[in-house]
Amino acid sequence: YVRGIGLLGYSFLGRGFAYCGLPPFFIGEALLGFGIIAFIAAGDVSSIRRSFLFWMVAFLIIIGSLGTINHINEYGILALRDAVIWGYAVFAVFVAAIVLRVKMIYQIIACYRRFLPWFLLWTPFAMLLYFLAYEKIPRWPVSQVPILNPKGGDIAVHLAGIMAFLVLGLHRKVLRNSTVISSLKEWSWWGLWFAGCLTIFTGRAAILTVLSVSILLFLIQPLERWYKVVFLGVLVVGIFFVFNIEPSFVGDRTVSPEGVMRTFQSIFSETGHSFYDGSRFWRLEWWREILDYTVFGDYFWTGKGYGVNLADDDGFQVFAEGLLRSPHNGHLTFLARSGVPGFAAWLLLQGTFSVSLWTEYRRARRLRRDNWAVLNLWILCYWLAFMINGAFDVFLEGPQGGIWFWCVFGFGMGVLEVQRRGEWTALNPPVRGAA
């Protein structure tokens, strides 16, 4: 429950919640401590060790440890700070072990269903508050970081997860809600979902995150699952065109059909607008530099390690205080810091995880276990959202993205292992009065 509250804090307050505490110990370290206690008290380590994903996670941690230990003497706490990108992987082990021991898969889905409407209601309000009243938001005493500090790409990950939850009908298939009540609620949920999207679709990462999950679902799910989304989407676009609405929240980026298309175009090519093309060019140049000194250079085997400020060392720092430490791509952070072996271990782990979910989805379909099929697909969609946003921002390197990602990953590990063992009743509603 403590960890669940922590995840709520990261999703509702964003980066601001990460600074709850006193340096160098923040809420993330407290959650890690509670995770260790829960793991010791209720974890099933013997079962999780049978999962091949566990050993792949362990291998990634070992490679990361080697790249960190060698730099602690030189960089101290900064090395440990950078190491969280692989260190948070222990959350996956904790969550998977507890899922196998306690068998709370149904309860976790039910908790997510309760989280869903509150997040949808909060998102547009929080983003507008952040954009329009930034200076009035209370700040943490030491760091002076606003308590509310959301990012569009981070929110897009959860909006993509919620979209998958609703399109797949998990609240109907698994939780068996009343059809009439659910249908009425769904219209309001989708309306709030579109309102949330309107406040974050000024960024490339947000658009591509939601779009990628949409395409995956559209290719798999029947067209009738999309009529609410299509209807509201056409309605929103029509209102923007008819009334020529072009609100601007971030610099020169506007929330309008034209603005969204220009932002989307900047993902793949130049737009002719310096506001869009400048950050795109900066990212691409930095990513080429990382490829040059790892894949084709002297840092092939070891990378530059954990602790060095990559933005300073590579010559791409944009803050006078040196606040930026990693490239806006979590995947290339592994390459830059752990070299090609660490990058390969990361890709192999993520590839195996996604293929395993897809395989179990197909197997569950063949066995006519529809609830398990949609659960596998939902986790896969959530995973994809994390992967896409992590490729455009410093997301997996921080607790608001890293802890959430590895908890979802660990839940997926547990779900896969439960299916491997054929314990299909783990997804059944709990019996009232049962211990």
Side-chain angles (χ1 to χ4, degrees):
Y1 290 106
V2 173
R3 198 175 324 173
I5 294 173
L7 293 178
L8 287 176
Y10 286 125
S11 59
F12 277 79
L13 300 179
R15 180 170 170 263
F17 186 73
Y19 284 86
C20 175
L22 294 175
F25 299 104
F26 297 100
I27 187 66
E29 286 70 34
L31 293 175
L32 180 60
F34 282 114
I36 294 173
I37 294 172
F39 175 72
I40 295 174
D44 190 355
V45 66
S46 60
S47 292
I48 195 60
R49 284 189 304 183
R50 301 171 192 167
S51 170
F52 55 89
L53 286 170
F54 167 80
W55 296 107
M56 297 180 73
V57 169
F59 183 62
L60 181 71
I61 291 176
I62 291 172
I63 291 181
S65 300
L66 295 175
T68 304
I69 294 173
N70 294 334
H71 295 84
I72 288 181
N73 288 338
E74 181 179 359
Y75 296 105
I77 193 68
L78 292 176
L80 299 178
R81 176 183 175 183
D82 293 337
V84 297
I85 190 171
W86 60 262
Y88 285 145
V90 298
F91 279 99
V93 178
F94 295 163
V95 171
I98 294 171
V99 166
L100 289 174
R101 178 66 179 271
V102 185
K103 302 294 191 304
M104 293 183 65
I105 296 177
Y106 179 92
Q107 291 88 335
I108 291 174
I109 299 172
C111 286
Y112 188 85
R113 155 63 180 81
R114 289 192 289 271
F115 152 84
L116 182 156
W118 293 106
F119 183 79
L120 291 175
L121 188 64
W122 168 253
T123 293
F125 170 77
M127 293 301 291
L128 289 175
L129 179 63
Y130 183 74
F131 288 136
L132 302 178
Y134 175 80
E135 297 298 332
K136 297 181 180 180
I137 298 175
R139 296 170 182 267
W140 295 109
V142 178
S143 64
Q144 291 300 304
V145 173
I147 293 177
L148 173 64
N149 197 350
K151 295 185 71 174
D154 301 4
I155 290 176
V157 170
H158 299 298
L159 289 180
I162 290 172
M163 174 183 65
F165 192 90
L166 295 177
V167 170
L168 293 171
L170 262 114
H171 56 304
R172 294 171 180 265
K173 287 181 175 293
V174 178
L175 303 181
R176 298 184 177 88
N177 285 356
S178 167
T179 302
V180 175
I181 295 177
S182 293
S183 180
L184 293 175
K185 285 182 178 179
E186 281 180 31
W187 280 106
S188 62
W189 290 347
W190 280 118
L192 291 171
W193 185 86
F194 272 103
C197 287
L198 290 176
T199 62
I200 66 170
F201 271 11
T202 56
R204 286 179 284 255
I207 294 175
L208 196 57
T209 296
V210 174
L211 182 62
S212 298
V213 175
S214 301
I215 292 174
L216 175 61
L217 289 171
F218 188 79
L219 294 175
I220 298 172
Q221 292 300 296
L223 292 178
E224 59 265 20
R225 298 276 181 87
W226 293 92
Y227 74 93
K228 292 185 179 71
V229 185
V230 173
F231 176 82
L232 289 174
V234 171
L235 179 64
V236 169
V237 173
I239 291 175
F240 270 76
F241 271 119
V242 171
F243 295 98
N244 195 28
I245 301 174
E246 291 190 1
S248 178
F249 298 126
V250 182
D252 295 331
R253 298 187 183 185
T254 59
V255 180
S256 64
E258 181 182 357
V260 171
M261 289 304 298
R262 188 180 294 128
T263 302
F264 181 75
Q265 178 189 350
S266 69
I267 299 173
F268 306 101
S269 63
E270 295 183 1
T271 64
H273 296 263
S274 59
F275 186 82
Y276 295 91
D277 297 337
S279 61
R280 176 180 181 271
F281 178 79
W282 170 79
R283 280 182 171 90
L284 292 177
E285 286 298 305
W286 193 356
W287 296 350
R288 290 191 189 101
E289 179 71 14
I290 292 173
L291 290 174
D292 285 341
Y293 65 69
T294 53
V295 178
F296 307 107
D298 297 334
Y299 293 96
F300 182 95
W301 292 107
T302 62
K304 290 191 174 181
Y306 297 84
V308 59
N309 187 317
L310 292 176
D312 288 340
D313 203 62
D314 296 347
F316 290 87
Q317 183 60 255
V318 293
F319 297 110
E321 303 86 355
L323 297 178
L324 180 62
R325 301 189 56 81
S326 301
H328 284 227
N329 188 314
H331 314 296
L332 291 184
T333 296
F334 275 103
L335 178 61
R337 296 194 182 278
S338 290
V340 173
F343 183 59
W346 167 254
L347 292 183
L348 183 61
L349 173 63
Q350 302 309 322
T352 303
F353 181 71
S354 58
V355 171
S356 298
L357 286 170
W358 178 256
T359 301
E360 286 300 324
Y361 161 72
R362 297 295 299 271
R363 187 168 79 97
R365 286 283 302 273
R366 290 196 303 270
L367 296 175
R368 299 185 182 279
R369 298 189 180 275
D370 293 339
N371 289 356
W372 285 98
V374 296
L375 177 58
N376 287 305
L377 195 52
W378 177 55
I379 298 172
L380 180 63
C381 289
Y382 229 138
W383 169 87
L384 178 62
F386 278 102
M387 290 291 100
I388 296 297
N389 188 54
F392 287 86
D393 204 353
V394 183
F395 179 53
L396 300 176
E397 297 91 332
Q400 69 274 16
I403 293 178
W404 251 102
F405 168 73
W406 286 111
C407 284
V408 171
F409 192 98
F411 180 59
M413 284 176 60
V415 167
L416 288 170
E417 183 62 18
V418 167
Q419 291 173 95
R420 187 190 67 80
R421 292 152 64 171
E423 298 177 356
W424 306 109
T425 57
L427 198 52
N428 294 344
V431 178
R432 293 184 178 277

